[in-house]
Amino acid sequence: MVQEASSIDLPLWLRTPPGRYVLSWEQARIDAHVADVFGFHALQLGLPEIDALHANRMPHRWLALSAREASQAEPEAACGTGPRAVALSCDFDALPFASQSLDLVVLPHTLELARDPHHTLREVERVLVPEGQVVITGLNPASLWGLRQAAGRAAQRLDARADDQRLFLPRAGEFIAHRRLRDWLRLLSFEVESGGFGCYRPALRSQAWLDRYAWMERAGQRWWPVFGAVYLLKAVKRVRGMRLIGPAWKTVPKPRAAPAVVSHKHRQIGKDAP
């Protein structure tokens, strides 16, 4: 039986009705953003509950987990025999990849649970090739869900006897604001290409009540789009001073020579001719 207490960690919370609601939105949006990313090597960092590289067509796609996630992973996945086989377990602060070796990195809630999210993002920038892409998802603190979580934490600070039932989202993790993450990406020479918000229904634990507020999806997208419970960002690594060379078959046409004007001098034949 899945626990509904918010004191559980993120993987277990994702099995609750609001967690499945978030996973469904993220899976659809991630599939749409990685489907047309081309290259040879793609990496998903963390959260095996979602298959972030399912729609991507690169020949080499890997799932990397932290030591804690690997210990909690399913036995067949940890052994590399399941459908979502774990390629490696590593420290996200020091990725075991050469610089400029990956074409795509997906971070599903990875920065929220990272020991140093900014350092993890710097590692992602290091391993990406120029024009490589990163896709990031996170919980939005400026949302109805984020406000309920903040109210629960405030109640805990005021009352030491308050339990974790007051929290709606998992206790662990630091929720990073959308604007703050964009600033981090800009400092690392990333250019945000696309993104969006989703999950506008109220913070409810019951599937029946979540279904009753399904109409809020369209209303939220139209009237309060930046207040969705979850956000997604897709950014491209830009390298200053780099110039992409076009294909060799795109040759510059040679300029045509201007026609020469030839003047003909006719010799007058007449009586004055010698």
Side-chain angles (χ1 to χ4, degrees):
M1 180 176 179
V2 178
Q3 304 179 39
E4 290 192 359
S6 57
S7 59
I8 61 179
D9 55 6
L10 180 61
L12 287 179
W13 181 84
L14 291 173
R15 300 179 186 179
T16 64
R20 293 193 298 267
Y21 168 43
V22 168
L23 277 182
S24 176
W25 184 88
E26 290 186 346
Q27 185 70 67
R29 297 310 183 276
I30 292 177
D31 286 349
H33 281 82
V34 305
D36 296 330
V37 180
F38 300 100
F40 296 96
H41 305 97
L43 176 68
Q44 174 183 341
L45 284 181
L47 201 64
E49 287 75 16
I50 187 170
D51 190 354
L53 301 175
H54 169 73
N56 188 261
R57 292 170 284 180
M58 293 189 192
H60 306 288
R61 294 170 291 174
W62 301 300
L63 170 62
L65 301 181
S66 63
R68 179 182 178 184
E69 289 177 321
S71 63
Q72 299 175 351
E74 298 294 335
E76 60 272 14
C79 296
T81 58
R84 296 292 327 281
V86 179
L88 69 157
S89 173
C90 62
D91 187 353
F92 294 166
D93 294 344
L95 297 177
F97 294 93
S99 299
Q100 301 185 5
S101 59
L102 301 178
D103 301 282
L104 170 66
V105 178
V106 184
L107 307 176
H109 299 279
T110 308
L111 298 180
E112 297 169 345
L113 302 175
R115 180 173 49 195
D116 186 345
H118 196 267
H119 189 78
T120 299
L121 200 56
R122 285 199 299 267
E123 271 294 283
V124 172
E125 188 275 337
R126 179 186 66 83
V127 300
L128 277 176
V129 300
E131 303 299 313
Q133 302 187 36
V134 58
V135 177
I136 305 171
T137 63
L139 293 170
N140 182 16
S143 64
L144 294 176
W145 295 20
L147 293 177
R148 177 169 175 176
Q149 184 80 352
R153 288 181 174 176
Q156 285 186 331
R157 288 193 295 267
L158 295 175
D159 185 3
R161 295 174 298 178
D163 56 14
D164 289 340
Q165 293 289 341
R166 296 177 179 267
L167 301 179
F168 179 72
L169 299 172
R171 180 184 182 90
E174 177 187 357
F175 305 139
I176 304 172
H178 180 267
R179 183 181 296 273
R180 183 183 180 191
L181 182 56
R182 289 178 66 100
D183 291 339
W184 287 1
L185 291 170
R186 190 178 299 109
L187 289 174
L188 293 174
S189 299
F190 280 98
E191 180 181 339
V192 177
E193 189 177 72
S194 59
F197 295 83
C199 299
Y200 296 95
R201 304 179 198 184
L204 302 169
R205 292 195 175 101
S206 169
Q207 184 64 51
W209 280 101
L210 285 173
D211 293 339
R212 289 185 182 183
Y213 285 93
W215 59 270
M216 292 187 66
E217 291 297 326
R218 290 186 178 181
Q221 293 174 6
R222 180 175 182 180
W223 299 109
W224 54 90
V226 298
F227 296 117
V230 194
Y231 63 80
L232 179 144
L233 280 175
K234 180 180 178 182
V236 182
K237 176 182 175 180
R238 303 299 188 191
V239 178
R240 296 181 179 179
M242 184 188 70
R243 181 181 179 184
L244 295 178
I245 302 177
W249 51 267
K250 290 185 177 181
T251 57
V252 179
K254 296 181 179 180
R256 296 182 178 180
V261 179
V262 179
S263 60
H264 298 279
K265 294 183 179 180
H266 298 280
R267 188 175 181 184
Q268 185 178 2
I269 301 176
K271 56 183 179 180
D272 297 333

